[in-house]
Amino acid sequence: MEILAFGVQADEKPLIERAFRDQEDVRCLDVFLNEDTAPIAAGHEIVSTSVNADLGAAVLEILAAGGTRMVAQRSTGFNNVDLATAERLGMTVARVSYYSPHSVAEFAWALAMAVNRRIVRASNRTRDFDFRLDGLMGRDLHGRTAGVLGTGKIGEAFARIAHGFGMRLLGWDVAENPACAELGMRYVPKDELLARSDLVTLHVPLMPETRHLLDAAALKSMRDDAILINSSRGGLIDTAALVGELRSGRFAGVGLDVYEAEAGLFFLDKSLEAVEDDTLARLVTFPNVLVTSHQAYYTEDAVGQIVETTARNVLDYRQGRRSDNVLVPRS
Ligand SMILES: NC(=O)c1ccc[n+]([C@@H]2O[C@H](COP(=O)([O-])OP(=O)(O)OC[C@H]3O[C@@H](n4cnc5c(N)ncnc54)[C@H](O)[C@@H]3O)[C@@H](O)[C@H]2O)c1
């Protein structure tokens, strides 16, 4: 029986084929799952989907009508899945609950360092043989304060690196992580963290209660010269409000690996098309902003773990086993 994998990047394909080598034929498609592409899955009991798949009610209905019984999502986050509909349709949905948190934490740091030390601008200048330093001044991070919103696996990995830089650590989470406390992290209310941090980084999941966690008021409460990094989910920030703050000259640097309207844009080549998204178009014009297209997880190590776990999730489904990666059925 063939498994259909949607949204496969070229680098990812050999890893997927290797992970499924002892199991099933796997067909890799570069198109992402959405209402237009869902009919391709007709006749496939098992499909695998990428982080930007649309697994809303309409798509799940099309999949179920075509005979799909299992969705193996190749990501940790599952904010793109309508779990209630999947459950009603009797589907199994599994995700990858663990893979290298270092991939994302290290990339969040790459963004933080790049915006702080103006690396992209400096590189563009030297390509032009412009060797001036004006406008490239950054700040030492040693002795400054990092505020980590969400101190789970990735937040902890980020905090360990911050600790290595000699930063003070503030944390905010519904559950304190003892490993972060051991690093000297002090848990404080969100308002205090935002007001006191030189560097604010987001590592909470996107859920109804965390949507626009950084809304206009929260962004205003941050320091004018703060660095803001989001490598979690775009919907955690009210992007229109962020653009408003940037227009008034606030923030030393903003690094975004995710964007709330990224579906249909990120992972695709849109370079020859007219840009329809005015918010994103404005965002990338600010000299202190760096936007990348959801690549924080994209290391050989993390992608290798993701596809191996996905293959295991499929095998578990076929052999009637249940693991912690199963989102529905809920029990
Ligand atoms: N950019 C990327 O490539 C990429 C890759 C992987 C994960 N992510 C994102 O990173 C997020 C974090 O991943 P993780 O592996 O660290 O997850 P995790 O589950 O280990 O940590 C999440 C933390 O958020 C906390 N939390 C949950 N709900 C909260 C709430 N309402 N208020 C405050 N804190 C809350 C949890 O207590 C937990 O400590 C994922 O949900 C995903 O959105 C992004």
Side-chain angles (χ1 to χ4, degrees):
M1 185 203 311
E2 186 180 74
I3 296 165
L4 198 60
F6 283 91
V8 176
Q9 306 289 321
D11 303 330
E12 197 187 1
K13 191 169 177 229
L15 300 177
I16 291 188
E17 287 169 349
R18 195 174 65 204
F20 281 93
R21 64 193 173 277
D22 298 330
Q23 244 190 91
E24 310 279 344
D25 280 347
V26 61
R27 184 146 66 101
C28 294
L29 303 178
D30 59 1
V31 292
F32 296 93
L33 180 66
N34 56 37
E35 273 190 69
D36 295 332
T37 58
I40 305 171
H44 290 85
E45 182 181 342
I46 301 168
V47 302
S48 174
T49 50
S50 60
V51 66
N52 272 355
D54 172 356
L55 284 160
V59 172
L60 289 170
E61 297 275 4
I62 298 169
L63 291 180
T68 298
R69 312 297 302 150
M70 198 253 174
V71 176
Q73 169 84 359
R74 302 191 303 282
S75 73
T76 305
F78 52 89
N79 49 285
N80 59 327
V81 190
D82 182 338
L83 295 179
T85 300
E87 181 128 58
R88 178 174 58 74
L89 293 169
M91 290 173 131
T92 296
V93 180
R95 63 160 176 159
V96 177
S97 54
Y98 181 86
Y99 62 86
S100 166
H102 307 292
S103 60
V104 181
E106 289 173 12
F107 190 83
W109 267 108
L111 284 177
M113 294 307 287
V115 295
N116 179 36
R117 304 304 298 269
R118 324 281 190 240
I119 303 285
V120 174
R121 190 191 292 189
S123 167
N124 289 340
R125 278 191 190 176
T126 53
R127 279 170 185 269
D128 248 358
F129 267 58
D130 172 355
F131 300 111
R132 289 168 305 154
L133 294 183
D134 286 346
L136 300 184
M137 189 176 278
R139 284 180 296 165
D140 283 15
L141 293 175
H142 181 90
R144 287 200 158 83
T145 300
V148 184
L149 294 161
T151 59
K153 293 180 285 297
I154 297 171
E156 178 190 328
F158 186 97
R160 287 188 186 284
I161 301 170
H163 184 67
F165 273 107
M167 298 189 79
R168 284 193 286 266
L169 293 170
L170 296 179
W172 175 82
D173 198 300
V174 285
E176 294 192 10
N177 178 342
C180 289
E182 264 177 42
L183 294 172
M185 178 179 282
R186 219 159 52 72
Y187 281 87
V188 293
K190 185 181 90 175
D191 296 352
E192 184 180 341
L193 181 148
L194 293 177
R196 295 191 42 200
S197 297
D198 300 290
L199 167 57
V200 173
T201 185
L202 287 160
H203 301 293
V204 290
L206 178 62
M207 305 182 291
E209 53 276 38
T210 57
R211 195 180 144 67
H212 288 183
L213 185 68
L214 298 191
D215 57 11
L219 290 165
K220 281 198 190 309
S221 73
M222 290 172 60
R223 298 170 60 111
D224 286 345
D225 59 358
I227 290 171
L228 170 63
I229 303 298
N230 187 7
S231 62
S232 187
R233 285 292 181 269
L236 296 172
I237 298 181
D238 179 342
T239 319
L242 176 62
V243 167
E245 295 306 303
L246 288 161
R247 280 170 67 107
S248 51
R250 298 191 63 230
F251 303 139
V254 175
L256 305 174
D257 184 49
V258 285
Y259 169 55
E260 57 183 325
E262 69 181 50
L265 287 174
F266 282 16
F267 306 145
L268 300 170
D269 179 5
K270 296 282 177 182
S271 59
L272 298 177
E273 294 179 26
V275 181
E276 287 176 24
D277 186 324
D278 289 344
T279 308
L280 182 60
R282 185 68 178 98
L283 205 50
V284 297
T285 64
F286 293 104
N288 51 342
V289 174
L290 254 189
V291 178
T292 52
S293 59
H294 208 138
Q295 70 176 84
Y297 74 100
Y298 207 54
T299 65
E300 279 174 25
D301 312 83
V303 175
Q305 289 168 357
I306 289 168
V307 297
E308 292 292 338
T309 303
T310 301
R312 223 173 21 254
N313 287 343
V314 167
L315 197 61
D316 283 348
Y317 163 78
R318 293 180 55 73
Q319 297 183 345
R321 282 190 302 268
R322 190 188 166 85
S323 79
D324 289 348
N325 289 331
V326 174
L327 297 167
V328 289
R330 286 175 214 265
S331 58

